[in-house]
Amino acid sequence: AVVSTQSTGGIEFHMPEMDFEGQKLAEILQYVILGVFGIVGFIWGYLCESFEQTFYVVASGALIASMVVLPPWPIYRKNPLPFHPVAGSLKKPAVAATNKNKSNKKKN
């Protein structure tokens, strides 16, 4: 899992990040939740003849959507990207080359 490090006041926080598929899922969930609460809020406000009721339903949908989408839940981190090896890991072939040179010295 990809983890970003942030430092605040000398204290480091490790926060996991969403992958691209997780971002796509979060965006779809956001639109669905806000759309459903918007439609239900409009109908409820129309039946009650109160814009205030419409606002409460839509605002609660926005709050629920925020709680579902904003935190990096594990459901959004199922497809991590394969990264290239770190540049420091290129030393391994050099070690193999030194072993090869040692074996050549033994043959002579």
Side-chain angles (χ1 to χ4, degrees), residues 7-55:
S7 180
T8 304
I11 299 172
E12 290 186 4
F13 297 98
H14 301 287
M15 298 180 63
E17 297 179 356
M18 289 185 195
D19 54 34
F20 291 117
E21 294 297 323
Q23 290 175 356
K24 181 179 177 182
L25 176 62
E27 184 178 5
I28 291 169
L29 284 174
Q30 174 189 353
Y31 288 139
V32 168
I33 292 170
L34 291 176
V36 167
F37 274 84
I39 292 168
V40 169
F42 177 78
I43 293 170
W44 179 251
Y46 183 78
L47 293 175
C48 294
E49 297 179 2
S50 170
F51 181 75
E52 182 181 13
Q53 294 297 317
T54 300
F55 175 77

Side-chain angles (χ1 to χ4, degrees), residues 93-108:
V95 172
T98 58
N99 290 338
K100 183 179 177 183
N101 290 338
K102 289 180 183 179
S103 64
N104 287 340
K105 289 181 182 178
K106 290 179 183 177
K107 289 181 183 178
N108 293 336

